[in-house]
Amino acid sequence: LGLGLWRRQAAVAAARGDEEGDRELWQRFMAPPVSGLRELRRRRRELRSRMELLIMETQAEVCRALAALDPGASFAVDSWEREEGGGGISCVLQDGEVFEKAGVNVSVVSGLLSEEAARQMRSRGKALKAKDGKLPFCAMGVSSVIHPKNPHVPTMHFNYRYFEIEEADGTKKWWFGGGTDLTPTYLNEEDAIHFHKTLKEACDKHDLKLYPKYKKWCDDYFYIKHRGERRGIGGIFFDDLDSPSKEEAFQFVKSCAKAVVPCYIPIVKKHCHDSFTPEEKLWQQLRRGRYVEFNLVYDRGTKFGLLTPGSRIESILMSLPLTARWEYMHTPPESSKEAEILEVLRNPKDWVH
């Protein structure tokens, strides 16, 4: 996984007298944290530090789970800095036997919110009070999109993030957002039920009302209006989460992040060696075209990234597949497997009752 250099650096740090427990923790990451190990230790009780540790751990857990399924491939680990403040770690696997493209990114950025980004937030009801037109912010998150080669293995996306803004009077506004969703090329009801049940269990630990609320939000959010269909079969999605308390919101996000591997990896294992036809591969390419359309036209996270000064375009567009296809006025035959998935994308189902 490209961890050799990082492990040597961690060993050197340990030799300088850092705590043994920290050393073990650091070696689980894909690269050194953006904020630095000393700084994270210094403010380890602050939620910002705990969230950064969570996204680092989530990145490493997911990367290792994916690499175990595609042993002939490896993740390129790319640490980058942002001139305006902060940086990130991009981990990308390409052209493996199982995964055509799998990216798991961490970003921890800070600076001044751009006018475009502030306008986008105000359109969602955020009453942000700037001082001399400036709004200091801090944003961090882990984001992943996984595009398998086999059309019987679904694409999966997840993202969990924390945002903090300091207003003119020094007041800090904060919120969490995120979600996990599945985009199959072909419908497999057992997979859909497993995926949704796993996410429901994570939500139910905190409040039985959360899963139905965030499941509907996911179906509504990942809607390709100009096609009249959803991007996939959903999952959960939420944004602007700032209640019931910061600690409770963080614990909910942690439960959701920990559900990523168990909700998806069993599906990959089940289907990664399934046989498929050229026609099924073609349908996968067409469905990926829809994925690209949603991300570039509607996705709020993509838009925010593109509007943020100093943002890293390579990491933002990691969500796009290596290959996709668009055919003019393509319509699958009635009663076909291709038509079956379209029916679900146009009319979302309840998978857990």
Side-chain angles (χ1 to χ4, degrees):
L1 296 177
L3 293 175
L5 175 60
W6 165 224
R7 283 181 173 151
R8 287 196 295 276
Q9 291 172 338
V12 170
R16 287 201 305 262
D18 294 323
E19 296 176 11
E20 187 67 24
D22 281 346
R23 178 185 174 185
E24 292 176 3
L25 175 66
W26 307 338
Q27 289 182 313
R28 293 208 305 267
F29 297 158
M30 300 300 289
V34 174
S35 295
L37 301 166
R38 187 172 297 176
E39 179 64 16
L40 286 176
R41 273 204 312 278
R42 188 180 66 81
R43 49 183 178 85
R44 59 185 175 273
R45 291 185 177 83
E46 294 181 21
L47 190 133
R48 278 172 57 171
S49 294
R50 294 166 66 201
M51 183 65 181
E52 186 169 349
L53 288 171
L54 173 63
I55 62 179
M56 293 291 297
E57 290 168 3
T58 302
Q59 180 186 51
E61 287 171 7
V62 174
C63 285
R64 292 193 174 102
L66 297 174
L69 295 177
D70 206 342
S74 62
F75 276 93
V77 181
D78 182 17
S79 296
W80 50 273
E81 293 183 1
R82 178 174 172 268
E83 187 176 334
E84 292 81 357
I89 304 156
S90 297
C91 298
V92 181
L93 180 158
Q94 292 185 144
D95 281 325
E97 290 297 319
V98 175
F99 302 108
E100 182 174 297
K101 188 178 182 185
V104 192
N105 289 352
V106 156
S107 64
V108 180
V109 299
S110 58
L112 298 176
L113 205 61
S114 71
E115 273 302 313
E116 287 285 346
R119 188 157 43 246
Q120 186 187 121
M121 290 179 182
R122 289 187 177 111
S123 72
R124 307 201 319 263
K126 299 282 184 191
L128 304 176
K129 302 170 186 175
K131 183 177 182 180
D132 301 325
K134 296 179 180 178
L135 280 166
F137 81 96
C138 169
M140 63 182 68
V142 56
S143 180
S144 174
V145 178
I146 301 160
H147 293 291
K149 282 191 169 179
N150 194 309
H152 297 293
V153 182
T155 285
M156 193 269 285
H157 156 259
F158 77 88
N159 169 267
Y160 292 100
R161 58 192 179 274
Y162 173 72
F163 212 95
E164 193 174 275
I165 288 181
E166 184 175 334
E167 295 190 288
D169 61 359
T171 301
K172 289 185 178 179
K173 286 192 173 179
W174 59 268
W175 61 89
F176 292 91
T180 305
D181 62 279
L182 197 69
T183 305
T185 301
Y186 289 95
L187 182 63
N188 182 298
E189 294 207 357
E190 282 186 5
D191 296 343
I193 291 167
H194 165 79
F195 185 80
H196 278 268
K197 275 192 171 180
T198 307
L199 294 178
K200 182 178 184 299
E201 288 168 5
C203 293
D204 286 353
K205 293 176 185 176
H206 301 271
D207 189 329
L208 296 179
K209 297 176 183 176
L210 294 180
Y211 170 77
K213 177 182 178 181
Y214 295 154
K215 192 268 186 189
K216 182 180 185 307
W217 198 338
C218 187
D219 289 334
D220 292 343
Y221 179 77
F222 292 104
Y223 183 58
I224 309 172
K225 296 176 185 176
H226 60 273
R227 298 289 187 180
E229 61 192 45
R230 276 78 190 165
R231 188 177 77 176
I233 61 165
I236 57 172
F237 178 83
F238 59 92
D239 207 351
D240 302 323
L241 178 65
D242 57 5
S243 64
S245 70
K246 186 179 280 191
E247 181 61 28
E248 288 171 290
F250 171 72
Q251 291 299 332
F252 168 66
V253 168
K254 184 175 182 179
S255 293
C256 293
K258 294 297 181 185
V260 169
V261 168
C263 79
Y264 182 61
I265 294 300
I267 297 174
V268 181
K269 287 182 178 178
K270 180 179 173 183
H271 297 292
C272 63
H273 299 299
D274 288 1
S275 61
F276 58 89
T277 66
E279 290 76 21
E280 289 171 333
K281 188 65 180 178
L282 171 62
W283 179 242
Q284 182 193 50
Q285 296 293 94
L286 292 168
R287 295 313 308 167
R288 284 180 177 173
R290 296 288 201 269
Y291 203 94
V292 171
E293 288 177 25
F294 177 85
N295 282 26
L296 294 184
V297 177
Y298 298 112
D299 187 64
R300 194 178 337 177
T302 302
K303 287 183 176 180
F304 175 81
L306 294 173
L307 294 172
T308 301
S311 59
R312 192 168 188 268
I313 302 303
E314 286 290 339
S315 297
I316 295 166
L317 298 183
M318 174 211 71
S319 63
L320 304 185
L322 280 184
T323 60
R325 185 179 176 97
W326 287 264
E327 287 189 9
Y328 183 70
M329 299 294 285
H330 182 277
T331 304
E334 289 185 18
S335 303
S336 65
K337 287 288 185 181
E338 291 77 15
E340 180 184 33
I341 187 71
L342 282 181
E343 175 61 27
V344 172
L345 299 179
R346 290 166 181 161
N347 301 288
K349 289 183 64 173
D350 181 349
W351 297 104
V352 296
H353 297 104

